[in-house]
Amino acid sequence: MCIRHNARNGLSRFRASGISIASSVLSLTFLLAACGEVSFTTDQHLERGVAFESQGDLGAASIEYGNALQQDPTSAEARFRLGMLLLGVRDGAGAESELRRARDLGWEASELVVPMARAMWLQGRHEAVLDATQQTDVLPAVEVPEAWALRGLANLAAGDGTNAREAFEQTLEIAPRQPDALMGMAMLEAAQGESDRAREWLAELLAADPTADQAWELLGELEEQAGDLEGALSAYNQALEFSPQPFSALLKRTLLRVTMQDLAGARTDAAALQRRFGAHPGASYARGLIEFHEQRYAEARTFFEESLARHSDYRPAMLMLGSTHLRLGNEQQAEHLLRRYLSQVPDSAPAMEQLARLQAGRGQLTEARRLLRDSAGEYNGLHPRLKALESQLAFASGDDEQGLALLTSLAAAEPDSAQWHELRGVEMIRQGDRAGGMAALRQAAALDDSGRQADILIILSELEAGDYEAALAAARALQEKQPDRAEPWNFI
């Protein structure tokens, strides 16, 4: 009784401390020899393991499979069942090792093709997945849809959306609710910017399996991109509730809480990341991001450097360490990191913007403008913040014509944005085109019911021109937008 009692108590302690199920399974499996439990036969241990697994008690199941192997190390079934259990908790390397040993011990090879492919998928070995699932005609019919779905996921990860879609559609023709294919279609649509279609696939998957943690996680990403931060938080909470390996969802929730200015909640999540996944560079990155947002830049620098020490090319930490050096006045280090980051992520608007501002701050306006102009192809020349910065640099360089042209293109690209019409109006007035500038300012004012700077600029411009009747009308329009503020009444 020693093994079962002590090991199951140990599993409770593992869970309480936040260690992942996969780690618990591996640790417990290889600690079984200590007590020498032999009160059941190998077959009985296997039967007990299957029963525990069906009840969701994976720790107890792993103990029984380990006990079976303790009595008979050549048991192919015990190896197979332990490998499948590890696969269920997404320990790809451990699962592959056990499944290979099961095959070597005589387990039917055709039954291992799909599990082995999934184990390789979990390890990011996408070409190996494609190789393993190439001959689906040798598989049991029931496993063919999963094999096709895994091929789709491997193609999607390799950037081959066409073959990925074909594999998913082929899967869903014969297995309409196959979860990997539904998830794959959602990921494919999300990657192609079709968020509504992605949501439809996720809804179908979650209707079939409300515990699909990866579906909840992707839904959280979509909600975050759409600006529904509360919806994103709810989705990440669901993902964490059901995930056997919650690192990704926990990190995303931590970063979301930073965005929401819930730094206390972010610190709680970051502590959980450190406790459970401290060896991952993301754990230190999350802590650094919190310190950065609290303007504790020296502390942030320490955590970002710790993150890069764990993984020298961990890109989020690389970018934020560059930003931190900027705040600390370490321009040389900042420039090195930002350029290094851009060499790996050439379409990063935040990195481009910071590097251009650094150069502009040094008076290197020509270099800053060239950086933005040469990099425009990386984001198709459409990133508003970079275009706005480019216009500022053009004005600062005395190139008013180019600066106004950039603002005009921004207003044309985003006609419902009051900001660009307002900036364009100010510059047109400054350059002597009062009629055009006033038209742009009125357009900006009409687009914003809350009362922007455009309303005040209209009033001041009319006053300066001596058109008091027009100024009074503009002031009354502002008063309607802001009935509880004194400023409109002062103008009136």
Side-chain angles (χ1 to χ4, degrees):
M1 299 302 291
C2 168
I3 291 177
R4 285 193 304 279
H5 176 74
N6 290 343
R8 290 191 68 182
N9 286 347
L11 181 63
S12 298
R13 289 194 295 274
F14 276 126
R15 286 174 172 161
S17 66
I19 296 175
S20 70
I21 295 174
S23 301
S24 306
V25 168
L26 287 173
S27 300
L28 290 168
T29 298
F30 296 106
L31 286 173
L32 297 175
C35 298
E37 171 68 73
V38 292
S39 58
F40 295 104
T41 66
T42 299
D43 288 343
Q44 287 173 326
H45 280 304
L46 289 172
E47 290 172 4
R48 288 169 59 81
V50 171
F52 280 127
E53 199 168 350
S54 68
Q55 297 165 14
D57 194 341
L58 303 185
S62 73
I63 292 167
E64 293 299 341
Y65 298 147
N67 284 339
L69 288 169
Q70 186 74 17
Q71 290 190 9
D72 181 7
T74 66
S75 171
E77 182 178 358
R79 293 289 178 195
F80 172 76
R81 292 197 178 281
L82 181 56
M84 294 299 288
L85 187 149
L86 293 171
L87 198 61
V89 296
R90 299 180 190 155
D91 179 359
E96 183 180 1
S97 175
E98 294 299 334
L99 293 172
R100 285 190 185 281
R101 295 172 78 176
R103 184 189 60 191
D104 294 342
L105 290 167
W107 197 262
E108 178 60 44
S110 64
E111 294 183 21
L112 295 172
V113 173
V114 172
M116 289 280 281
R118 184 172 294 280
M120 291 183 284
W121 157 253
L122 288 170
Q123 298 173 73
R125 293 161 52 197
H126 309 126
E127 287 298 325
V129 175
L130 294 174
D131 290 341
T133 56
Q134 194 167 12
Q135 301 295 327
T136 57
D137 55 338
V138 301
L139 298 176
V142 70
E143 294 187 3
V144 171
E146 186 176 352
W148 283 343
L150 285 170
R151 288 187 65 79
L153 290 172
N155 278 311
L156 182 58
D160 186 352
T162 300
N163 280 324
R165 185 180 294 275
E166 182 180 337
F168 296 141
E169 290 176 346
Q170 192 173 12
T171 303
L172 294 170
E173 282 182 12
I174 61 172
R177 304 184 83 181
Q178 209 286 330
D180 293 314
L182 292 173
M183 185 67 199
M185 287 297 288
M187 294 166 63
L188 179 60
E189 299 291 4
Q192 295 179 350
E194 299 291 339
S195 58
D196 290 341
R197 288 288 297 136
R199 288 172 186 275
E200 290 174 8
W201 289 111
L202 290 176
E204 190 170 343
L205 174 53
L206 289 169
D209 179 12
T211 69
D213 60 292
Q214 292 176 317
W216 284 115
E217 188 173 331
L218 178 55
L219 181 59
E221 292 180 31
L222 294 174
E223 299 287 23
E224 195 167 354
Q225 291 167 11
D228 183 0
L229 303 188
E230 289 294 341
L233 181 61
S234 176
Y236 290 146
N237 288 343
Q238 291 288 93
L240 285 166
E241 180 178 352
F242 300 121
S243 177
Q245 285 286 17
F247 170 77
S248 177
L250 184 56
L251 178 59
K252 289 173 184 175
R253 189 175 74 176
T254 307
L255 304 186
L256 174 64
R257 283 179 160 162
V258 172
T259 301
M260 298 173 74
Q261 296 297 313
D262 177 15
L263 297 184
R267 282 193 179 278
T268 299
D269 279 352
L273 277 169
Q274 185 65 36
R275 187 169 60 250
R276 302 176 69 176
F277 309 102
H280 195 285
S284 299
Y285 167 72
R287 297 174 72 187
L289 196 64
I290 295 168
E291 300 296 343
F292 183 91
H293 277 261
E294 292 191 330
Q295 299 182 9
R296 295 160 54 88
Y297 299 123
E299 292 82 355
R301 172 183 174 176
T302 298
F303 284 120
F304 293 140
E305 288 176 342
E306 181 180 295
S307 179
L308 289 172
R310 297 187 184 283
H311 191 309
S312 61
D313 282 332
Y314 190 66
R315 292 171 182 172
M318 192 186 305
L319 175 61
M320 288 307 303
L321 183 56
S323 301
T324 301
H325 277 301
L326 273 180
R327 302 310 193 279
L328 291 170
N330 304 326
E331 293 186 358
Q332 187 172 352
Q333 296 96 317
E335 182 173 4
H336 169 73
L337 286 158
L338 292 171
R339 288 191 182 280
R340 180 179 161 200
Y341 183 82
L342 279 171
S343 71
Q344 299 183 30
V345 191
D347 62 346
S348 169
M352 285 183 216
E353 181 179 2
Q354 290 183 82
L355 185 55
R357 289 190 183 280
L358 187 156
Q359 292 174 326
R362 293 172 174 168
Q364 299 170 328
L365 297 179
T366 302
E367 291 84 347
R369 293 179 67 188
R370 185 185 302 119
L371 169 69
L372 295 175
R373 185 173 59 251
D374 293 347
S375 301
E378 300 293 349
Y379 55 90
N380 298 319
L382 297 177
H383 196 285
R385 284 178 61 90
L386 294 182
K387 217 163 201 179
L389 175 58
E390 194 177 352
S391 73
Q392 292 174 25
L393 296 177
F395 291 129
S397 301
D399 191 350
D400 290 349
E401 182 178 351
Q402 177 64 13
L404 184 56
L406 287 165
L407 285 178
T408 300
S409 67
L410 272 171
E414 298 186 355
D416 294 331
S417 170
Q419 178 183 8
W420 309 132
H421 293 293
E422 179 183 307
L423 291 173
R424 177 169 166 264
V426 169
E427 286 301 327
M428 292 178 77
I429 292 173
R430 189 179 69 83
Q431 294 182 35
D433 183 2
R434 182 175 184 277
M438 290 297 288
L441 288 175
R442 290 191 183 98
Q443 191 171 359
L447 287 168
D448 193 337
D449 293 334
S450 62
R452 287 179 57 84
Q453 187 71 12
D455 295 87
I456 296 174
L457 290 171
I458 291 170
I459 298 168
L460 293 176
S461 183
E462 298 290 16
L463 284 170
E464 185 177 355
D467 191 341
Y468 303 117
E469 190 172 326
L472 182 60
R476 292 197 184 283
L478 179 60
Q479 189 271 331
E480 289 180 8
K481 290 182 180 181
Q482 300 178 337
D484 298 327
R485 296 191 62 181
E487 191 172 26
W489 290 105
N490 289 336
F491 280 120
I492 291 170

